[in-house]
Amino acid sequence: MFIKNYLIYYGISCLLLIVSILVHPVFYIFLIFYGAFIIYRLNLMNFISIFIFTILFFLFVNWPTPINDSIIKGKIVTVDQKSVVLKTSQTKVKVYGDFIGYQIGDVLEMEVEYFNISEPTNDNAFNYKRYLYSQGITNNAMIKRLLSVDSTQSLFKELQKRVSGDDLEDSYASMFVLGIKDEMIEDYYQQLTDLSIVHLFALSGLHIHILNNLLKNILRFIVSDRFIDYFVIVLIGLYVYIIPINISFIRAYLVMLLSVLFKGYLNKLDCLSIVTVLMLLINPYIIFSLSFIFSYLIYFIILLLNQSQYFNLLVYFGSLPIILTIQYRINILSLFLGVILAPLISLLYQMIWIYVLLGDFVKPVVRIIIYFLNNIIIFCNDFSIFINFSKPTLFFILSYYFVYFKIILK
């Protein structure tokens, strides 16, 4: 097929254009060199096709636009005691106030007063505006008056009831099933961040792959092999729809969906390219989301490696600039921990789903796995060896990945 194995070139072109507009004009030079590379690697007709596609892509990009309506109505997509994020018909608004007792899925109508989103005063400061825009949030506001509340039952609330409780097992279930961290698990989560293995616990492609296999093993007894892939993607699609938005999880699901629907017509690199273009169309500021960067880049690297004998080592080195950008240091143990803990986390994730579906009789098994997992994490934290760095510059990151991908291609 004409587009098979070629869609990656379209995806990279669109990504480079967005990066050029939002990050730094120097990337326009890369875009020009990329055009020359397309002519050299493919041909002039492919270049014209990609050029026209990129222009059309730019014309249809949904650039986030702040609103100024004094009265807003929307569904709660995230909530804590001090603020909620409301998804309105136009955008998302972060509203500060007293929101104790409200839940995700509740529909609120309120009068608000907007205030400016703070911007960094120097180049190395955290850019809070970019962070909010990457989440699709265009406004900060303070609640003046609550006008109405519509609290209806939903599948999400039913699922939340299944994982609610005061035990650590319930906290892990909430994190693995809903992607929501409570106060009980915050300390553990910080230790995971210090060990650079937090990606193993945040909902991602790893977990959707495990869930996919678990459902197939269960449904194989009642659904024929001919239809089982379609049945599973419907079930997982319903699950992805009812839980809070998770960039990595959505990426993994959409790639899986396209792979099943267009089997034989598109490879996984093509599917990743389509999903990347769709995400950029919906919100170009997503390039500032660390979840987007980590998930899409690492999955791209995994597809390129294609079962290399140095797979784990190369994936680890592919993630280093992102880790340095977040932590400014490297934990020597993180390379080995990822390999050691992955089977244990896979088992824990499956047992948590069995606990959620079947009830408390498997809870002791979940408790034992968590006990061993936490002790390994505490032990490794006590004996961690860190190498400290300064924040990597854009030039360093670009140079690093240039050499890195040259090594992979060799």
Side-chain angles (χ1 to χ4, degrees):
M1 189 176 179
F2 174 72
I3 61 173
K4 188 175 182 180
N5 302 317
Y6 284 87
L7 289 182
I8 183 63
Y9 296 107
Y10 291 82
I12 291 175
S13 179
C14 295
L15 181 61
L16 274 176
L17 177 64
I18 295 299
V19 171
S20 302
I21 295 170
L22 296 181
V23 178
H24 200 286
V26 72
F27 283 96
Y28 283 115
I29 299 174
F30 287 89
L31 198 56
I32 294 170
F33 278 111
Y34 182 69
F37 169 78
I38 294 297
I39 297 173
Y40 170 76
R41 181 67 183 268
L42 303 177
N43 53 54
L44 183 60
M45 289 304 298
N46 283 113
F47 168 78
I48 293 172
S49 174
I50 293 171
F51 179 78
I52 293 173
F53 179 85
T54 307
I55 296 299
L56 292 173
F57 162 83
F58 174 75
L59 295 176
F60 287 98
V61 167
N62 178 40
W63 299 99
T65 306
I67 60 174
N68 55 12
D69 304 327
S70 59
I71 295 178
I72 60 173
K73 183 177 182 179
K75 181 186 292 186
I76 296 177
V77 290
T78 61
V79 59
D80 57 42
Q81 294 183 357
K82 297 181 180 179
S83 67
V84 296
V85 174
L86 288 185
K87 185 177 181 181
T88 70
S89 59
Q90 299 166 283
T91 185
K92 291 180 185 176
V93 181
K94 187 166 188 176
V95 185
Y96 291 87
D98 184 4
F99 292 102
I100 297 174
Y102 295 98
Q103 294 180 304
I104 292 174
D106 291 346
V107 177
L108 306 182
E109 184 177 11
M110 63 182 71
E111 183 181 0
V112 297
E113 181 180 356
Y114 298 102
F115 57 91
N116 292 330
I117 300 174
S118 60
E119 298 201 40
T121 54
N122 61 68
D123 292 338
N124 291 318
F126 175 68
N127 195 317
Y128 185 58
K129 184 174 182 179
R130 281 182 175 177
Y131 167 76
L132 290 182
Y133 272 46
S134 73
Q135 308 297 312
I137 302 169
T138 58
N139 292 81
N140 267 348
M142 184 70 67
I143 184 171
K144 294 178 66 177
R145 183 163 53 102
L146 185 61
L147 300 177
S148 67
V149 180
D150 182 11
S151 181
T152 57
Q153 284 301 110
S154 64
L155 290 173
F156 170 79
K157 290 182 180 179
E158 290 299 320
L159 194 57
Q160 194 173 36
K161 287 180 184 177
R162 300 287 295 177
V163 299
S164 61
D166 299 325
D167 298 327
L168 187 59
E169 298 83 48
D170 298 305
S171 295
Y172 267 89
S174 178
M175 178 176 67
F176 275 126
V177 175
L178 301 177
I180 297 175
K181 302 184 296 292
D182 59 21
E183 293 180 1
M184 186 180 297
I185 211 167
E186 282 294 341
D187 290 339
Y188 294 103
Y189 210 76
Q190 184 56 50
Q191 293 180 47
L192 299 174
T193 303
D194 292 338
L195 290 171
S196 302
I197 56 170
V198 72
H199 60 282
L200 296 176
F201 292 78
L203 287 179
S204 64
L206 168 68
H207 303 94
I208 210 167
H209 176 71
I210 297 169
L211 181 60
N212 180 45
N213 290 336
L214 178 63
L215 287 173
K216 283 183 178 180
N217 290 332
I218 295 172
L219 295 172
R220 188 160 280 122
F221 298 101
I222 56 177
V223 180
S224 69
D225 291 342
R226 182 180 177 184
F227 299 106
I228 195 168
D229 283 335
Y230 300 101
F231 202 81
V232 168
I233 62 172
V234 170
L235 289 177
I236 296 180
L238 178 63
Y239 166 57
V240 171
Y241 174 76
I242 65 176
I243 66 172
I245 291 176
N246 179 292
I247 292 173
S248 180
F249 216 55
I250 289 175
R251 185 271 307 161
Y253 173 70
L254 290 177
V255 169
M256 184 180 74
L257 175 66
L258 292 171
S259 298
V260 171
L261 295 180
F262 298 98
K263 188 183 299 183
Y265 295 95
L266 300 175
N267 60 33
K268 288 188 176 180
L269 202 55
D270 294 326
C271 296
L272 177 63
S273 304
I274 293 172
V275 174
T276 301
V277 171
L278 287 175
M279 291 295 108
L280 292 173
L281 276 172
I282 295 169
N283 180 12
Y285 280 86
I286 200 173
I287 63 170
F288 297 113
S289 167
L290 286 173
S291 296
F292 173 82
I293 296 170
F294 194 89
S295 174
Y296 282 67
L297 176 63
I298 296 304
Y299 186 64
F300 177 66
I301 290 171
I302 288 171
L303 293 179
L304 288 183
L305 292 176
N306 194 23
Q307 306 300 321
S308 165
Q309 61 177 324
Y310 305 110
F311 180 84
N312 290 315
L313 186 64
L314 288 172
V315 170
Y316 174 76
F317 279 104
S319 67
L320 279 186
I322 305 172
I323 295 172
L324 288 176
T325 303
I326 301 170
Q327 296 181 299
Y328 306 162
R329 61 180 183 175
I330 296 172
N331 191 322
I332 300 298
L333 293 178
S334 58
L335 170 61
F336 310 102
L337 272 179
V339 177
I340 294 169
L341 292 182
L344 188 59
I345 292 167
S346 175
L347 176 62
L348 175 60
Y349 184 66
Q350 293 178 73
M351 293 308 301
I352 282 176
W353 265 110
I354 295 172
Y355 160 56
V356 170
L357 295 174
L358 301 181
D360 288 346
F361 80 93
V362 295
K363 199 169 185 178
V365 179
V366 176
R367 184 179 295 121
I368 291 170
I369 299 173
I370 291 175
Y371 172 80
F372 280 107
L373 184 62
N374 287 345
N375 276 280
I376 292 172
I377 291 168
I378 292 170
F379 175 83
C380 292
N381 258 305
D382 291 339
F383 290 91
S384 289
I385 302 172
F386 292 97
I387 301 177
N388 294 313
F389 294 85
S390 59
K391 183 178 180 178
T393 63
L394 179 61
F395 177 76
F396 170 81
I397 293 172
L398 293 176
S399 302
Y400 180 96
Y401 279 117
F402 176 79
V403 174
Y404 176 81
F405 283 113
K406 291 288 284 186
I407 291 172
I408 287 182
L409 292 175
K410 286 292 183 182

